[in-house]
Amino acid sequence: MRNSMKALLAASAGAAAAFAIAHANPEAEKAAIRAMFEEAIASMNACKTDDIGKNDAEGRTTYYPDSAEPHVETAETRQMAVDFCAKGGKHELQSQIRDIILLGDVAVAHGSGHYKRTEPDGTVSIDTDYTYTDVLVKKDGRWKIRHGHIGVVLPEEPAGEAQE
């Protein structure tokens, strides 16, 4: 029994030490994640087509509010984004990260923001507040988005008018 307890304590101490090493500076890791998001947003707002996909991990998937299936980032979908910008389409994206949870070389970021998409003909096709939860992976020293869920913020109903 004592040997089992010693082994369990040694394993727990080893796991705690490994976790501490992986997160020797968690605030620096969170700052790197915030910087990556800021870079991605600035690139999108400026339609910097050379940067499209730069912050995506291989096989990035995203669930959007209007889809039952995940959107998978591919060379074809990135080319569609390049074409949208080349034709004069615009993105206006604002975002605020509310929380980041670090789990070794994986992180979860949650936040909210506002997105407005203006089509090349000048019509606004999307103008909405949203929330998101993204799963990030750290590879070769750089954080990248691997998977995301985006939700639309619904307007609040006045008290007493909620429908059943």
Side-chain angles (χ1 to χ4, degrees), residues 24-108:
N25 192 344
E27 292 310 312
E29 294 297 331
K30 290 179 181 184
I33 290 168
R34 290 178 193 285
M36 183 275 304
F37 273 103
E38 289 171 10
E39 176 185 34
I41 290 166
S43 293
M44 185 174 182
N45 287 341
C47 258
K48 289 184 176 178
T49 55
D50 290 343
D51 290 343
I52 292 175
K54 178 180 175 182
N55 296 299
D56 294 344
E58 186 67 31
R60 176 185 175 172
T61 55
T62 305
Y63 277 95
Y64 291 98
D66 60 350
S67 64
E69 297 294 321
H71 168 84
V72 179
E73 293 292 335
T74 63
E76 182 180 350
T77 61
R78 285 192 269 285
Q79 185 60 49
M80 290 170 52
V82 168
D83 293 345
F84 172 79
C85 289
K87 293 176 184 173
K90 294 181 188 175
H91 303 282
E92 295 176 50
L93 180 63
Q94 300 168 353
S95 176
Q96 179 182 6
I97 295 175
R98 304 228 181 263
D99 192 21
I100 298 172
I101 301 167
L102 297 171
L103 306 161
D105 285 345
V106 175
V108 178

Side-chain angles (χ1 to χ4, degrees), residues 121-138:
D121 67 4
T123 60
V124 175
S125 59
I126 301 172
D127 191 359
T128 188
D129 292 322
Y130 67 95
T131 62
Y132 64 91
T133 302
D134 287 332
V135 177
L136 301 98
V137 293
K138 188 174 185 182

